[in-house]
Amino acid sequence: MLKTVDLNGKRALITGAGSGIGRAIALRLAEEGMKLALVGRSADKLMRTAALTGRPLDMLVLPTDITTARGIDDIMHIMEGHFRGLDVLVNNAGMALNCPFEETSDEAFDKIMALNVKAPFVLCKRSLKLLRQSDCPTIINIGSVTAHQGYVQQAAYAASKHALLGLTKSLAREVCGEGIRVHMISPGGVYTDMIAVARPDLSPEGMIQPEEVAELAAYLVTHRGNAVVDEIRLHRATKEPFQ
Ligand SMILES: NC(=O)c1ccc[n+]([C@@H]2O[C@H](COP(=O)([O-])OP(=O)(O)OC[C@H]3O[C@@H](n4cnc5c(N)ncnc54)[C@H](OP(=O)(O)O)[C@@H]3O)[C@@H](O)[C@H]2O)c1
């Protein structure tokens, strides 16, 4: 029987925790007894997530725009001061863009890279000091199948997720000797608000559920055996593959 990590009382920071995959991961890790810092721009959405955990007093609601340096500074100060550390970082917040290549503005490209790549980069960098003090330090980055394959009208989004994959794989190697696990979960179409924007051509039927992604996140955090999971790709079981 493999020994699993007891997450009771451990601390996680989850971006984009007010909806979709981020909320599902928050609820799943709360079930394990974790204390959570819930990050997103909308306080209302984050408070709803905190309420749904059934333990709102153990949850920190941090309404923040993570594409600003000030926002990330504030989050890290609160993690140090209030939570006195960090065990698990989940870089989940992200945006999609479904746009023909030539119509994708420079500003839209910068915006998607700021949220999907630079924010996780800065959060990983700023979190390492705290993660080094943990006995189960883990980073999970939420990628996408677009990190592995090109899709029509998805150049900017695919570029951002390819970049996040490169960051994840390199960081994983750089810190594995210190016991810090860095993973990427790359789902296909998940049934959230985002999918309507990213892939209006897909029907909700047979879509991956956010809870399926959350279950894998919980697995990665609780299983720290000798085998390290490099990355997980999730495809829909039905219809066309790679969607
Ligand atoms: N749905 C899919 O099919 C799918 C497939 C593969 C990968 N993914 C990835 O999964 C992740 C979560 O997406 P989702 O499907 O759950 O979509 P979602 O419900 O739209 O979640 C995105 C979250 O990011 C937060 N966010 C956006 N901009 C932010 C900012 N500047 N600062 C802080 N938080 C911000 C949003 O909250 P606020 O608006 O309140 O800030 C929202 O809670 C993304 O990285 C996405 O690329 C999704």
Side-chain angles (χ1 to χ4, degrees):
M1 192 63 174
L2 278 178
K3 195 167 173 276
T4 55
V5 176
D6 179 5
L7 293 178
N8 195 29
K10 304 278 190 205
R11 303 140 300 184
L13 165 57
I14 305 169
T15 66
S19 61
I21 296 169
R23 173 175 284 169
I25 292 174
L27 299 184
R28 183 65 187 83
L29 295 183
E31 262 174 43
E32 297 287 329
M34 292 193 88
K35 297 195 281 189
L36 308 176
L38 306 171
V39 176
R41 289 166 305 177
S42 158
D44 285 351
K45 284 167 35 180
L46 298 174
M47 284 193 291
R48 177 76 187 133
T49 301
L52 287 170
T53 65
R55 293 189 294 114
L57 295 180
D58 284 339
M59 308 299 150
L60 267 180
V61 167
L62 304 177
T64 314
D65 182 344
I66 57 168
T67 62
T68 65
R70 170 83 192 271
I72 290 189
D73 273 350
D74 289 349
I75 294 171
M76 297 319 300
H77 284 136
I78 292 172
M79 292 311 294
E80 282 173 20
H82 191 90
F83 269 8
R84 302 205 169 280
L86 178 64
D87 302 289
V88 177
L89 168 66
V90 182
N91 282 306
N92 162 77
M95 62 179 288
L97 184 67
N98 191 57
C99 188
F101 184 78
E102 287 174 288
E103 292 169 27
T104 302
S105 68
D106 298 359
E107 292 73 24
F109 186 83
D110 286 346
K111 195 172 166 198
I112 203 165
M113 295 303 278
L115 180 61
N116 293 6
V117 188
K118 189 173 176 194
F121 163 74
V122 179
L123 277 164
C124 284
K125 208 163 62 149
R126 295 288 303 272
S127 297
L128 283 175
K129 189 177 89 177
L130 296 179
L131 289 171
R132 285 193 179 100
Q133 296 159 27
S134 165
D135 57 7
C136 59
T138 309
I139 295 174
I140 298 176
N141 294 330
I142 303 299
S144 161
V145 287
T146 62
H148 300 272
Q149 180 163 318
Y151 289 82
V152 174
Q153 300 199 356
Q154 306 262 336
Y157 183 61
S160 73
K161 293 297 186 180
H162 271 71
L164 185 62
L165 180 61
L167 182 157
T168 306
K169 288 191 167 210
S170 299
L171 178 61
R173 289 199 166 202
E174 200 164 319
V175 297
C176 70
E178 299 179 81
I180 302 173
R181 302 272 168 106
V182 186
H183 309 278
M184 177 122 149
I185 301 178
S186 294
V190 183
Y191 189 52
T192 68
D193 295 344
M194 178 183 286
I195 198 69
V197 180
R199 292 297 302 270
D201 55 309
L202 293 185
S203 95
E205 190 193 329
M207 206 83 89
I208 297 165
Q209 295 299 315
E211 292 73 19
E212 296 181 80
V213 184
E215 200 54 45
L216 282 171
Y219 178 91
L220 291 174
V221 182
T222 50
H223 289 72
R224 295 177 60 87
N226 292 338
V228 181
V229 176
D230 181 4
E231 99 197 67
I232 300 178
R233 278 195 240 181
L234 291 174
H235 299 291
R236 297 167 76 197
T238 56
K239 313 284 181 193
E240 295 290 311
F242 303 112
Q243 291 196 336

